[in-house]
Amino acid sequence: MLPRVHTPSKAISSILRKRRPVRSQRQYATAAAITPAASHEQMTRSSSPIARYPLTQPPSYKPPEFRKSQLLRQYASLLRSTPLMLLFQHNNLKANEWVGIRRELSAALKKVDAARVAAGHPPEPLEDAIKVQIIQTGIFAAALRVVEFFKPESQSASLDPTDPATPSSATVPVFTKSGDELTHTLSKAAHEAVADIRTAHALAPLLAGPLAVLTFPNVSPQHMKAALSILSPSPPDFPAPTRRANPGWHDAAVQSGLQKLLLLGARVEGKVFDVDGTKWVGSIDGGLDGLRAQLVAMLQGIGGGVTNTLESAGRSLYFTVEGRRTILEDEQKEASGETAKQ
């Protein structure tokens, strides 16, 4: 006997008919919706260069989303805001070696801050702002060229695209809505200004190989001396800490890392110093206050010498005139006495 097949009821069949997928109607843009004049105007009309970018991100010659571009901006800002910078060459330092070196450097700088506060100086914790970091040498060299040789405020006025005398083949720079030329670090003007400059800067010979920089927010010879005593000790001016005073500096990891660090030079207030000049800056007694005291003493000595020289000339002339006057008075007395006798 064949099995009985149950037919679906009317309610079920109506539900199935309602559940059928409905094909969505796509709407296509037709050419008839746009007039030929309007389409030609839209094709020929170009938006302003700044309209394609947000106000917080002006157009750049270098793509700002790349890591190299951000490193270039970071290094340029570091060079503009750092008055004192030490350059070191490192050779494959391990992570635990960097940790030990940073630990000892931070401890030495904290001691300098505490000593300054104890001497009566206002509290100024520079230890938190003094950093040592590894840099990308090629990008750092490019940022240095931009900072040193790109001076937009001293350049001549750029070409005006609205001037009829401007040739159509001239390279017109990109302007903002206010009419100012874009002169930031990643702009095309900055790139063209330093494109042909390679080794013109005095720091360029040192920018080779793996480098690390130690940056200071202020020119402080005292902090610089403490840093050199930790990173590049050289007695007698920069003695290394003793084992009793600082046993952590003598750890195997720290000593292994210090052997791979080599001091190359410094950049102080935009001027380049070699190793000897760097050590001279760090060996100034009393820091900037001591340097000011030495300058005042030198100026006072120069002023005292000039005063003595001028006074000696006047004093000599005075004595000469007085001696001559005395001689003339004596001769006159003798002549008057002889006349009275006669």
Side-chain angles (χ1 to χ4, degrees):
M1 185 176 180
L2 295 177
R4 182 179 296 177
V5 179
H6 298 279
T7 59
S9 61
K10 295 182 179 180
I12 298 177
S13 61
S14 62
I15 294 174
L16 291 177
R17 284 196 300 269
K18 291 181 180 179
R19 294 292 183 181
R20 287 180 182 178
V22 180
R23 178 178 294 180
S24 60
Q25 297 179 358
R26 297 181 179 178
Q27 296 180 359
Y28 297 93
T30 58
I34 302 175
T35 59
S39 61
H40 178 72
E41 182 181 358
Q42 291 181 357
M43 294 174 61
T44 56
R45 183 179 58 187
S46 60
S47 60
S48 59
I50 197 65
R52 300 192 303 269
Y53 303 90
L55 296 177
T56 57
Q57 181 180 334
S60 304
Y61 182 79
K62 301 288 185 179
E65 64 272 9
F66 290 167
R67 182 174 179 270
K68 292 183 177 180
S69 301
Q70 296 302 323
L71 285 177
L72 182 65
R73 294 179 59 189
Q74 177 184 350
Y75 293 157
S77 177
L78 187 68
L79 288 168
R80 292 189 180 102
S81 61
T82 303
L84 177 58
M85 178 184 299
L86 303 183
L87 273 79
F88 293 89
Q89 184 177 10
H90 67 92
N91 185 13
N92 298 327
L93 271 77
K94 299 179 181 179
N96 59 340
E97 296 172 350
W98 276 117
V99 170
I101 289 174
R102 288 189 172 97
R103 181 191 68 237
E104 299 303 322
L105 179 62
S106 177
L109 295 175
K110 285 182 179 179
K111 292 180 180 179
V112 175
D113 291 336
R116 286 178 57 85
V117 173
H121 296 278
E124 188 179 4
L126 297 180
E127 179 268 333
D128 297 333
I130 299 175
K131 302 294 182 183
V132 56
Q133 58 179 333
I134 300 175
I135 60 173
Q136 297 288 339
T137 308
I139 303 177
F140 187 82
L144 180 64
R145 291 195 297 269
V146 172
V147 172
E148 293 294 336
F149 301 107
F150 178 55
K151 307 296 182 183
E153 63 277 2
S154 62
Q155 293 180 354
S156 59
S158 303
L159 297 176
D160 186 4
T162 61
D163 188 2
T166 302
S168 58
S169 60
T171 303
V172 180
V174 180
F175 290 82
T176 60
K177 291 182 179 180
S178 60
D180 300 329
E181 184 183 356
L182 296 175
T183 56
H184 56 89
T185 304
L186 301 180
S187 63
K188 186 176 181 181
H191 173 76
E192 293 178 350
V194 300
D196 298 332
I197 300 174
R198 294 302 177 205
T199 58
H201 194 265
L203 199 62
L206 302 180
L207 300 180
L211 296 180
V213 294
L214 178 64
T215 56
F216 297 78
N218 295 327
V219 179
S220 177
Q222 295 175 345
H223 290 83
M224 184 177 177
K225 182 177 182 179
L228 289 177
S229 299
I230 297 296
L231 301 179
S232 181
S234 58
D237 294 332
F238 306 97
T242 61
R243 186 179 294 273
R244 178 176 296 180
N246 191 358
W249 187 82
H250 296 272
D251 292 344
V254 177
Q255 292 298 315
S256 176
L258 293 178
Q259 292 177 2
K260 302 174 184 178
L261 279 179
L262 178 62
L263 178 63
L264 299 179
R267 182 177 182 267
V268 184
E269 296 290 350
K271 305 295 182 182
V272 179
F273 289 81
D274 57 359
V275 177
D276 295 335
T278 303
K279 293 182 178 180
W280 173 81
V281 175
S283 62
I284 297 175
D285 295 332
L288 290 181
D289 296 335
L291 186 61
R292 294 189 186 99
Q294 295 178 10
L295 180 60
V296 170
M298 183 180 64
L299 294 177
Q300 289 179 351
I302 293 175
V306 172
T307 303
N308 292 332
T309 302
L310 297 176
E311 288 182 354
S312 63
R315 192 180 300 111
S316 176
L317 179 61
Y318 172 77
F319 289 146
T320 302
V321 173
E322 286 295 324
R324 183 61 178 170
R325 185 176 63 83
T326 304
I327 293 173
L328 292 176
E329 288 179 354
D330 293 340
E331 291 179 352
Q332 186 177 2
K333 289 179 180 180
E334 291 178 358
S336 59
E338 292 178 357
T339 305
K341 289 179 180 180
Q342 291 178 359

